[in-house]
Amino acid sequence: MSDVHAAIDIGTNSVHLVVARALPGGGFDVVTTEKNSVRLGSGGGDMKVLAPDAMDRGVAALAHMLDVATSLGAEVTAVATSAVREAENQAEFVDRVQSELGLTIDVIAGQEEARLIHRGVVHAVPVGDSRALIVDIGGGSTEFIITEGPELLEARSLRLGAIRLTQRFFGKLGPNDVPGGKAINACRRYLRTALSGVARDLGGHQPQLLIGSSGTMEAVAEMVAARRGEEPSTLNGFRFTADEVAEVVEVVFSMASAERNTIRGLDEKRYDIICGGILLISETMAAFDMEEIVISEFALREGVLFDRFPADTGHLRDLRRSNALRLAQQLDPDVAHAETCARLALQLFDRTAEVHGLDAEARQVLEMAALVHNVGMVIAHSGHHKHTYYVVRHSEQLTGFTARELELIALVARYHRKSHPSDKHPEFAALDDDERRLVRILAGLLRLAIGLDRRHSGRVKGVTVRIDDDATESGDGGGNGKGNGGPIGRLIVEPVANGEDVAVEVSAATDRSRLASTALGVQIVIQERAPVDPDVVSS
């Protein structure tokens, strides 16, 4: 099999292409993407026939995407969903594509569509061990998927979609007509009836998280972000509430289709199909009693790619770490040093947990920041910590992270040297209090780890940390070391080495200890420790 593969998703509204290259450890790296809105399907009820002009648009879009994929040496998998699946003349379209383009289309069933969507989503959104409901709204159908961690438990596919609903309830409106309450209420009643069964069947799983994927969900996320005055670099992990959906619903239905180009964040190709889609989101949240949605930028086509390029474990943490390490391998002149720093930083994090009280998410931010802290070297050594911030925030290779996670990783990496975090820095000042504390602590621990590998030799194999009895007892915010005042005790950090001299590393770590000391509210003492401790080295 080629190490380059292309997935083409032929949907009711759009045709999407993503071309990716396999990675050695599993998973893939996206090479390019394409999107073309062709409106292949239409109709307010059953989409029984693909119109000749729609098929022409579909073939033209596929011809272009096939040219792109072929030019990159990619093997191609093309899958078609609701519009083609339901059409009585699907064979005519499939045969035409085969004869004219030499491209075989796999018309997949709703359950297979759900499986592939699930496969893509769980590689993009950190579900952990929680139970989640994935809702993927297309033009003609919507897939409802229950997942627990990486395992798909149950799925349903309903003939509800943005195009289908809009044409059924709002299709008779002209471009200058504002939707009336009668049509809106009729659509809501229809949706409540249609959703009652799936809510009954899947609601018993008691999902704790609602994940939305594909174009309609992303369109609403863009509108919400614009209303907040935000411009997220990625929508992956973007969250919005039922109340924010209600606000956008009010805006959308206060305007005629021709006026919706004034709605910030709404793509011009969705002005005429947003009505049905946004009501479907609103009623889905109500049916499952969900107050918040988190967006996944991965869906069906990425699921196809994960079928072709399976990750070695399928776990999101491994995808994230492999992407961070790959970025370091491309841009950092000494990746071994970055990996050593990551190992030492995690040991420091684990052995000071009693003091900082941070969680597993913070631990992963520290690991990723340590791996990429020197990628700014590719731009210039001078000020490379600032260049690292820019590279991390704008890299397209760090998939699997939310915009918030990328910002935290970038800031921790940015503060691995030179000036400490300051409210004079706009990016740091934009964080809330908890995030500022997290960045200070993690950047402080990273500085210590970097000092402990000052000669890039890996001679420090591990660290032991001793906490004085009074290190976690203080007046102002002292419990678990969460105060921000002066030192409240001592942390004795001892590097473990194979009998090698680590005086340089002890001195360097001491010089870099002030940020960690201030952030943790403890005095930090770095001192040599001669014997090897096998338990420390292997942990």
Side-chain angles (χ1 to χ4, degrees):
M1 184 180 74
S2 170
D3 66 345
V4 181
H5 201 94
I8 299 178
D9 169 11
I10 306 166
T12 303
N13 182 48
S14 303
V15 178
H16 293 262
L17 165 75
V18 57
V19 181
R21 179 173 288 106
L23 296 175
F28 58 83
D29 179 26
V30 174
V31 176
T32 190
T33 61
E34 295 267 349
K35 176 184 175 182
N36 195 320
S37 180
V38 298
R39 297 287 169 89
L40 196 58
S42 62
D46 289 340
M47 296 181 176
K48 293 184 177 181
V49 177
L50 299 175
D53 59 334
M55 286 196 283
D56 289 342
R57 293 192 298 271
V59 171
L62 289 171
H64 169 69
M65 292 180 179
L66 190 59
D67 284 345
V68 172
T70 302
S71 71
L72 295 169
E75 292 184 0
V76 180
T77 297
V79 295
T81 57
S82 178
V84 180
R85 182 167 63 227
E86 296 179 36
E88 295 174 351
N89 61 339
Q90 69 165 257
E92 180 183 347
F93 178 67
V94 171
D95 291 346
R96 181 177 168 187
V97 171
Q98 178 66 57
S99 62
E100 294 185 21
L101 306 179
L103 176 64
T104 300
I105 295 176
D106 184 9
V107 182
I108 58 175
Q111 286 296 110
E112 174 64 2
E113 183 176 356
R115 184 190 72 82
L116 291 169
I117 291 166
H118 170 266
R119 192 151 171 72
V121 168
V122 296
H123 282 87
V125 175
V127 177
D129 296 326
S130 63
R131 195 163 292 185
L133 169 66
I134 300 169
V135 178
D136 184 281
I137 298 176
S141 70
T142 296
E143 276 55 54
F144 300 83
I145 304 153
I146 295 289
T147 182
E148 185 167 19
E151 182 182 358
L152 190 158
L153 300 182
E154 198 169 354
R156 297 286 187 277
S157 179
L158 298 186
R159 292 182 177 183
L160 300 173
I163 292 177
R164 193 191 300 267
L165 288 167
T166 300
Q167 291 185 348
R168 177 167 183 161
F169 292 97
F170 308 102
K172 294 181 180 180
L173 297 177
N176 297 311
D177 295 332
V178 177
K182 184 176 180 180
I184 297 169
N185 291 334
C187 185
R188 285 192 182 277
R189 286 193 300 270
Y190 176 81
L191 284 168
R192 288 167 187 168
T193 300
L195 292 169
S196 61
V198 72
R200 180 186 63 248
D201 293 345
L202 301 185
H205 290 285
Q206 297 182 315
Q208 304 152 289
L209 178 69
L210 175 58
I211 303 172
S213 58
S214 294
T216 296
M217 286 288 188
E218 292 181 4
V220 174
E222 292 276 15
M223 287 188 282
V224 169
R227 287 177 63 81
R228 294 179 187 171
E230 299 176 0
E231 295 182 5
S233 60
T234 174
L235 287 178
N236 199 65
F238 184 85
R239 294 172 181 265
F240 55 93
T241 66
D243 287 342
E244 288 177 307
V245 173
E247 292 171 1
V248 176
V249 166
E250 186 174 347
V251 171
V252 166
F253 285 104
S254 69
M255 300 180 180
S257 177
E259 300 174 308
R260 291 188 194 123
N261 60 352
T262 62
I263 300 177
R264 289 177 301 150
L266 180 58
D267 188 283
E268 62 180 8
K269 295 179 181 178
R270 290 191 175 272
Y271 294 159
D272 58 340
I273 62 169
I274 193 63
C275 291
I278 197 169
L279 289 180
L280 177 52
I281 294 174
S282 175
E283 292 300 326
T284 296
M285 297 185 79
F288 286 92
D289 194 25
M290 290 290 191
E291 287 300 316
E292 186 178 61
I293 292 178
V294 57
I295 293 294
S296 167
E297 286 193 323
F298 281 11
L300 173 64
R301 51 198 172 275
E302 288 79 16
V304 171
L305 290 174
F306 278 113
D307 264 2
R308 300 303 181 272
F309 305 138
D312 48 5
T313 66
H315 195 279
L316 181 63
R317 181 193 174 279
D318 298 301
L319 173 71
R320 290 169 158 187
R321 191 183 192 282
S322 65
N323 286 341
L325 184 56
R326 178 163 44 89
L327 185 67
Q329 289 167 341
Q330 292 175 350
L331 305 180
D332 185 347
D334 191 350
V335 178
H337 169 64
E339 292 186 275
T340 298
C341 291
R343 175 170 53 81
L344 295 174
L346 291 182
Q347 289 190 18
L348 288 165
F349 181 94
D350 294 340
R351 289 160 173 74
T352 57
E354 181 182 348
V355 180
H356 59 65
L358 296 174
D359 60 14
E361 180 184 356
R363 187 181 191 274
Q364 190 169 128
V365 168
L366 174 59
E367 180 182 17
M368 302 308 150
L371 288 173
V372 302
H373 76 273
N374 272 341
V375 297
M377 291 277 199
V378 74
I379 298 175
H381 183 277
S382 175
H384 72 265
H385 54 298
K386 296 179 182 178
H387 300 319
T388 289
Y389 173 86
Y390 180 87
V391 171
V392 172
R393 286 300 286 119
H394 295 88
S395 173
E396 295 182 352
Q397 297 188 26
L398 293 175
T399 56
F401 296 97
T402 67
R404 173 185 173 275
E405 289 166 339
L406 284 175
E407 180 68 16
L408 294 175
I409 292 167
L411 283 170
V412 172
R414 180 252 189 270
Y415 290 118
H416 81 269
R417 67 192 289 268
K418 296 294 186 178
S419 61
H420 289 190
S422 168
D423 289 348
K424 295 179 181 179
H425 304 152
E427 296 83 7
F428 182 76
L431 303 179
D432 62 32
D433 290 343
D434 288 341
E435 291 170 335
R436 293 183 195 184
R437 177 176 180 270
L438 180 146
V439 168
R440 289 189 181 101
I441 292 172
L442 299 188
L445 295 177
L446 179 55
R447 287 182 182 222
L448 287 177
I450 292 169
L452 290 169
D453 195 40
R454 178 65 181 86
R455 285 179 278 189
H456 294 219
S457 62
R459 65 182 60 198
V460 174
K461 308 303 180 184
V463 293
T464 63
V465 177
R466 291 188 287 111
I467 305 173
D468 279 2
D469 291 340
D470 63 342
T472 57
E473 298 174 4
S474 77
D476 183 15
N480 286 333
K482 293 180 181 179
N484 291 314
I488 60 174
R490 292 202 312 164
L491 291 180
I492 312 299
V493 178
E494 297 175 330
V496 178
N498 291 326
E500 294 186 88
D501 172 45
V502 292
V504 171
E505 285 71 25
V506 168
S507 176
T510 300
D511 290 344
R512 289 164 169 78
S513 66
R514 186 164 63 89
L515 177 57
S517 176
T518 302
L520 293 172
V522 297
Q523 179 187 0
I524 295 177
V525 177
I526 317 292
Q527 62 186 34
E528 292 190 55
R529 180 179 186 275
V532 173
D533 185 333
D535 292 334
V536 172
V537 174
S538 62
S539 63

